[in-house]
Amino acid sequence: GTVPHGKMVMRTAATAGERVLVTGTIGDAALGLLLRKQPANAGRWKLTPREERHLTQRYLVPQPRNAIANALCAHGSAAMDVSDGLVGDLSKLCRASGVTADIEVARVPLSAAARKVIAAEPKLLETILTGGDDYEVLLTMPPRRVTAFCKAAAAAGVAVTEIGTVVRGTAAPRFLDRDGKPITFEHPSFSHF
């Protein structure tokens, strides 16, 4: 593909005060992989056949969000795909930009199937936030651009959710629970090695 000169949105331009957004839902592919490895999980999680298919298909047939490319070029500051898990990929984006971020975990968009899985097995929240293969877009932009970007994404048929804020600092991004307390992760990112 091609990008107009000077319009490429890379990982390196997030700045403090910007909003962090993500497309689609997070964690479905990681749960789909668990279902492929252990089909009996569907029964344990009380998934309907439709919910089971949804999670499995999100793993087997990812849907890249190409439809928002023009809106991203027009409004985004920094962006990357969520291929190695939201926690790990946000850490990469922040490190490349020389910033950090605060993420409200309750705002991370989850499918109905993923919510059902968490209700049955709460510890899988870590898998949802750190698992890979979602291929959603993680992006940052100034607050004044969020509304226009969300309208453009909706017109393209892509759901977008604001999940946090870019802040000054170089520490790992903080993922905050409903009480504002940081959550720690045993394995913050998918590792190829």
Side-chain angles (χ1 to χ4, degrees):
T2 61
V3 177
H5 183 70
K7 293 288 186 178
M8 180 175 278
V9 179
M10 302 190 313
R11 300 178 187 188
T12 57
T15 59
E18 290 187 331
R19 300 301 184 247
V20 179
L21 298 94
V22 69
T23 62
T25 57
I26 297 298
D28 292 337
L31 296 175
L33 175 59
L34 289 179
L35 283 171
R36 294 277 295 174
K37 288 180 174 180
Q38 298 175 359
N41 284 336
R44 272 196 12 249
W45 299 337
K46 297 181 174 64
L47 297 176
T48 66
R50 183 177 180 181
E51 291 165 335
E52 183 178 357
R53 267 192 314 277
H54 168 78
L55 295 176
T56 303
Q57 286 302 106
R58 287 277 300 184
Y59 171 66
L60 294 174
V61 188
Q63 300 292 315
R65 302 303 181 183
N66 298 334
I68 65 160
N70 290 335
L72 180 57
C73 284
H75 302 287
S77 296
M80 66 182 291
D81 71 329
V82 180
S83 56
D84 293 336
L86 179 62
V87 173
D89 288 329
L90 179 61
S91 294
K92 292 172 194 171
L93 186 149
C94 287
R95 195 168 38 252
S97 292
V99 295
T100 189
D102 286 339
I103 302 301
E104 298 174 50
V105 170
R107 296 186 71 181
V108 173
L110 304 177
S111 67
R115 284 192 296 273
K116 190 180 263 190
V117 170
I118 290 174
E121 204 168 335
K123 70 178 182 154
L124 287 176
L125 177 63
E126 179 166 342
T127 299
I128 286 169
L129 295 174
T130 64
D133 296 324
D134 285 316
Y135 299 104
E136 295 296 347
V137 179
L138 170 66
L139 61 141
T140 71
M141 67 185 52
R144 70 182 186 284
R145 296 193 173 269
V146 171
T147 299
F149 174 76
C150 289
K151 284 181 182 176
V158 177
V160 178
T161 306
E162 186 178 328
I163 61 172
T165 305
V166 178
V167 297
R168 283 184 171 76
T170 56
R174 297 186 320 160
F175 283 74
L176 307 171
D177 66 15
R178 290 187 187 277
D179 297 323
K181 295 179 182 167
I183 299 171
T184 58
F185 301 101
E186 188 174 334
H187 302 287
S189 181
F190 174 79
S191 174
H192 298 276
F193 304 101

